[in-house]
Amino acid sequence: GDKVKQSPSALSLQEGTNSALRCNFSIAATTVQWFLQNPRGSLMNLFYLVPGTKENGRLKSAFDSKESYSTLHIRDAQLEDSGTYFCAAEAGSAGNKLTFGIGTRVLVRP
Amino acid sequence: NAGVIQTPRHKVTGKGQEATLWCEPISGHSAVFWYRQTIVQGLEFLTYFRNQAPIDDSGMPKERFSAQMPNQSHSTLKIQSTQPQDSAVYLCASSLPPYEQYFGPGTRLTVL
């Protein structure tokens, strides 16, 4: 819900272009995870982040705990990048459970 | 490694019947989580176990829902007297805390 605000809610990208997704947290997030849910419904873990930046191929993610936000950058978007991206935060006081955003539906067009 | 296994993949129950959902975590993972996904509410935390002990069930509806982890290789989520509003995809995840959670394919529960 409002504890993790994810934007935009939907995104249409031309193949080969770049884009960025963002999450803002109103909870004291200590770690962030990004997931991609494919059309069959499987959730695949993309990144696990403590404050800082990680990169994996065409994806790059950052988490700033002081400013309470995280970003996911997609470079050179491919058709297989289509799906719904979720960010989820762990708040240290709440143990290891994840609080999810509502997701960003990404469609990559040829 | 087969990943997190959830059975059944689909379950249809009549209103008032019981539903039991099963989860087998990744071998060696000490934490098991249950979440629920609906169009309206999105992904919601239900409960989790660490080393088989219940740690946090703050997301569980107070009545009719219960979860157990009798051994390190499986966990169950039981819903008694199912209602149409219980219809959802129930997702199980496991992790080696404090690291990333790996999700199973989910069980789609439909209550008629």
Side-chain angles (χ1 to χ4, degrees):
Chain A
D2 287 355
K3 294 179 180 177
V4 178
K5 281 192 175 176
Q6 202 168 338
S7 61
S9 57
L11 195 56
S12 181
L13 292 175
Q14 190 81 38
E15 195 174 13
T17 61
N18 306 331
S19 192
L21 286 57
R22 185 179 175 104
C23 281
N24 290 303
F25 308 112
S26 60
I27 54 176
T30 52
T31 68
V32 172
Q33 298 185 38
W34 283 90
F35 298 88
L36 170 59
Q37 190 167 42
N38 65 23
R40 289 190 309 280
S42 296
L43 269 170
M44 181 171 65
N45 195 296
L46 299 175
F47 290 104
Y48 171 89
L49 293 157
V50 295
T53 301
K54 278 189 179 178
E55 192 164 356
N56 184 4
R58 295 178 295 99
L59 300 179
K60 184 175 180 178
S61 186
F63 170 39
D64 186 328
S65 58
K66 290 181 182 175
E67 298 298 322
S68 299
Y69 76 91
S70 179
T71 55
L72 177 69
H73 291 261
I74 304 173
R75 177 175 54 80
D76 184 25
Q78 301 297 304
L79 298 178
E80 62 264 27
D81 296 332
S82 295
T84 303
Y85 290 78
F86 291 95
C87 67
E90 210 176 306
S93 61
N96 298 122
K97 70 181 182 186
L98 293 176
T99 301
F100 282 83
I102 61 169
T104 296
R105 275 187 301 161
V106 172
L107 175 65
V108 181
R109 309 183 315 271
Chain B
N1 192 331
V4 175
I5 297 172
Q6 289 190 250
T7 54
R9 294 295 309 277
H10 302 273
K11 186 168 182 69
V12 180
T13 65
K15 184 178 173 182
Q17 293 183 329
E18 183 177 289
T20 300
L21 313 180
W22 293 70
C23 172
E24 181 179 329
I26 292 172
S27 177
H29 282 190
S30 56
V32 171
F33 303 81
W34 285 95
Y35 296 86
R36 176 169 66 178
Q37 186 173 25
T38 61
I39 299 292
V40 174
Q41 298 294 332
L43 277 152
E44 302 176 286
F45 166 79
L46 294 175
T47 186
Y48 92 93
F49 299 84
R50 185 185 287 200
N51 296 319
Q52 299 171 233
I55 301 298
D56 183 345
D57 66 354
S58 58
M60 292 277 271
K62 295 305 175 198
E63 298 176 357
R64 303 186 296 104
F65 282 64
S66 63
Q68 293 187 331
M69 191 160 185
N71 58 59
Q72 63 185 7
S73 63
H74 87 273
S75 175
T76 57
L77 180 68
K78 185 181 292 187
I79 309 172
Q80 294 178 312
S81 185
T82 54
Q83 303 297 310
Q85 61 265 29
D86 300 332
S87 296
V89 176
Y90 288 84
L91 292 157
C92 177
S94 72
S95 79
L96 198 56
Y99 301 116
E100 58 263 59
Q101 294 183 22
Y102 292 89
F103 280 77
T107 295
R108 181 176 296 278
L109 176 67
T110 302
V111 182
L112 301 176

